[in-house]
Amino acid sequence: MVRLLMPMMAGIALYAYPLYYLAWGLGAFCLLALVRTLGRQTPFGHRWQSGLLLSGLLLSFGYLIATYQDTRPLPAHFQHAVTEDAPLVLTGRIARITPTAKRLKAKLQLRAVQHAPGQMRKAEGALMAYFDIDHRSRRLKAGDLIVLKATVRELSPPLNPKEFDYRSYLARQRVYHQAFAEEWEVLGEEASLVAYAERFRQHCLGLLRKHLPTADEFAVGAALVLGYKAELTEEVESAYANTGAMHVLAVSGLHVGLVQVILMALLGRLPVRGKWWRYLRAALVVTGIWAFALITGASPSVLRAATMFTFVTLGQSLDRTTNIYNPLAASAFLLLCLDPLMLYQV
């Protein structure tokens, strides 16, 4: 899987360059050449030829899936309706919401945009929306379908040399615009698995807030258990960073591994045996792993770990042992097929 992963990653990295027709040509040539080799016996010394063709096919595949997931060139993308300093009426679903120092920051997946007074059209794309913190905005949650009036602007580049490039960071999440909500209303809730997981996460945060007496204890507990870092103060973050323990606050492979070990141990104590139970136990463990991944926010590091431990659990149920780098590469391959720009997420 590592050998299959490397050319695909190279193709995604080339996505920034205008090589669309070259990628199509390379992919078509390699695919036809590989089809011609099917059923033929390849001499041992010539096996590198099919490997080279497969690498070329995967390189073009990585480039093309990254290109096709970019909706900006499509006529339905909302950026075609953006005008300088003119407010727009937008309808979208909150994919993720995070409190900041002064405002609530929400990633909004757009559904419609007003092209003319009273005329809404279907729209695609995502933007970062900011809401003033008040009693209404505090009730916003992931999955809410809202309509808002806001002036949409492109994200600004960094103003100083060597400054963190926030525009580039969001561009790798396919977010290129931001908007500060002037007026907004909640239309309803769009049911989804992620929305239910976020609701359960908020319930768990409420339990932690009830039983952890101080603000710092709650902030660290929420980060350790649920990957919720919004309540961490600069002092607490600096303390963990200065002692080299900041990674403990990031839900990733360690946490998912603990979930897998605990579930395997608990289910292993049940007085049930048989081949069918082995497969059922693996399915229950995988379900628990992905439930934990969704509840903790489904960050790239959690998705990577959840996918990897899914392969490990399935391998254990089949009595198959393998080098750990193989399921790691397999999880990366699968995740990059779903979201190629995850390549740039730590």
Side-chain angles (χ1 to χ4, degrees):
M1 288 305 303
V2 174
R3 287 181 290 179
L4 299 179
L5 176 65
M6 299 306 289
M8 181 182 174
M9 290 172 61
I12 296 171
L14 291 171
Y15 155 69
Y17 300 96
L19 305 172
Y20 179 76
Y21 294 107
L22 181 61
W24 260 114
L26 176 65
F29 170 77
C30 292
L31 180 61
L32 291 174
L34 282 171
V35 170
R36 288 192 62 184
T37 62
L38 294 178
R40 296 183 180 182
Q41 187 172 3
T42 305
F44 182 82
H46 294 168
R47 288 190 307 164
W48 62 270
Q49 296 175 357
S50 57
L52 185 63
L53 291 171
L54 182 59
S55 296
L57 180 62
L58 288 171
L59 187 141
S60 62
F61 174 70
Y63 182 91
L64 292 172
I65 60 171
T67 301
Y68 275 107
Q69 290 195 21
D70 187 355
T71 59
R72 284 178 297 170
L74 299 179
H77 197 278
F78 77 94
Q79 70 175 6
H80 302 298
V82 175
T83 56
E84 188 72 20
D85 296 327
L88 285 176
V89 177
L90 307 162
T91 303
R93 180 181 66 85
I94 296 178
R96 184 178 66 249
I97 189 163
T98 309
T100 61
K102 298 180 180 179
R103 290 185 173 90
L104 288 175
K105 180 176 70 174
K107 183 179 179 181
L108 204 63
Q109 295 287 347
L110 293 184
R111 296 288 187 266
V113 62
Q114 180 176 294
H115 283 251
Q119 183 181 8
M120 299 290 285
R121 291 185 182 177
K122 183 179 178 181
E124 296 186 17
L127 60 78
M128 200 62 70
Y130 294 87
F131 300 85
D132 291 328
I133 297 179
D134 55 29
H135 68 282
R136 290 179 63 226
S137 62
R138 285 193 180 97
R139 293 199 294 266
L140 290 173
K141 58 188 181 298
D144 281 349
L145 196 66
I146 67 170
V147 58
L148 72 155
K149 181 181 180 181
T151 301
V152 180
R153 294 186 176 90
E154 288 190 18
L155 290 157
S156 302
L159 301 177
N160 300 307
K162 306 298 182 181
E163 184 183 353
F164 174 66
D165 192 347
Y166 186 60
R167 182 176 69 168
S168 176
Y169 169 75
L170 287 182
R172 287 170 175 169
Q173 301 176 44
R174 302 201 186 280
V175 176
Y176 308 95
H177 297 79
Q178 63 181 358
F180 294 88
E182 301 170 9
E183 304 171 23
W184 59 273
E185 290 291 339
V186 177
L187 300 177
E189 184 177 352
E190 193 173 87
S192 68
L193 191 60
V194 175
Y196 288 128
E198 180 63 24
R199 192 182 304 170
F200 184 71
R201 186 191 198 190
Q202 293 300 322
H203 173 71
C204 294
L205 287 172
L207 294 176
L208 289 177
R209 188 177 280 108
K210 178 181 178 181
H211 293 287
L212 296 177
T214 68
D216 284 346
E217 286 180 2
F218 165 71
V220 173
L224 280 170
V225 180
L226 297 170
Y228 185 80
K229 299 181 182 179
E231 300 291 334
L232 288 173
T233 62
E234 291 186 9
E235 291 78 11
V236 172
E237 288 189 344
S238 297
Y240 276 85
N242 293 336
T243 55
M246 192 65 183
H247 62 279
V248 176
L249 299 181
V251 175
S252 57
L254 172 66
H255 301 71
V256 179
L258 287 172
V259 169
Q260 192 243 16
V261 169
I262 291 171
L263 289 176
M264 290 288 283
L266 291 176
L267 293 173
R269 289 180 174 273
L270 297 178
V272 183
R273 295 292 181 268
K275 191 174 182 180
W276 65 271
W277 169 243
R278 182 193 305 175
Y279 299 143
L280 178 60
R281 183 177 66 174
L284 293 173
V285 171
V286 169
T287 302
I289 288 172
W290 281 100
F292 178 74
L294 289 173
I295 292 169
T296 54
S299 66
S301 59
V302 175
L303 292 177
R304 177 198 64 209
T307 309
M308 187 184 75
F309 278 105
T310 296
F311 286 122
V312 170
T313 303
L314 295 177
Q316 290 174 345
S317 68
L318 297 172
D319 287 332
R320 295 283 299 273
T321 57
T322 182
N323 190 312
I324 197 64
Y325 295 108
N326 206 48
L328 179 61
S331 66
F333 190 94
L334 177 61
L335 290 173
L336 291 177
C337 287
L338 300 175
D339 183 5
L341 295 190
M342 197 179 288
L343 176 65
Y344 299 102
Q345 298 293 326
V346 175

